[in-house]
Amino acid sequence: MGNDNHGELYVMRCSAMKEAIYKVGYTDGISSDRAKQISSATGVPLSLLVVKSWKHPNARALETEAHMMLAPYRMNKSREFFSAEFDVINNIIESVIARDTTDTSS
């Protein structure tokens, strides 16, 4: 029973950004590898670091739901960067995961 959406949801941060700005995204690989990939881009002043990641059987859908819940904090519609304290982002993601677990257990 293969699922092409399995992977990790991650929260990353660039230490060069003074404000509480985080990237929330999904990878079908490993979050630390994704951070290295993104950090190699010329538009990133310093490396992105993974603050936290969650393995999930449907990480793509989890990312979509998390982005909807984080919409008030989104900095640009076409980017996955959010301006909020980490605790706010973490709590939103944890609530989405808990709701998903509750929905699938019935």
Side-chain angles (χ1 to χ4, degrees):
M1 169 186 339
N3 182 348
D4 291 340
N5 296 320
H6 72 283
E8 294 184 4
L9 181 76
Y10 58 75
V11 176
M12 295 183 193
R13 177 143 172 39
C14 178
S15 61
M17 296 179 187
K18 300 285 184 206
E19 301 172 37
I21 298 172
Y22 296 89
K23 177 172 177 22
V24 178
Y26 145 83
T27 181
D28 58 4
I30 299 168
S31 296
S32 58
D33 290 344
R34 180 70 178 134
K36 288 176 194 167
Q37 180 185 35
I38 296 168
S39 297
S40 67
T42 58
V44 180
L46 293 175
S47 296
L48 286 166
L49 304 171
V50 177
V51 178
K52 188 168 181 178
S53 65
W54 297 261
K55 290 185 182 197
H56 195 272
N58 197 353
R60 184 172 295 172
L62 178 61
E63 177 197 46
T64 299
E65 181 70 17
H67 283 178
M68 287 192 309
M69 299 295 291
L70 289 165
Y73 307 101
R74 195 169 205 146
M75 299 180 70
N76 179 324
K77 281 194 240 180
S78 63
R79 304 278 184 228
E80 296 178 330
F81 287 91
F82 301 86
S83 179
E85 296 298 326
F86 174 72
D87 287 346
V88 172
I89 293 171
N90 185 64
N91 289 341
I92 288 172
I93 293 170
E94 292 286 345
S95 72
V96 170
I97 292 170
R99 186 175 33 194
D100 181 59
T101 303
T102 303
D103 288 347
T104 58
S105 65
S106 40

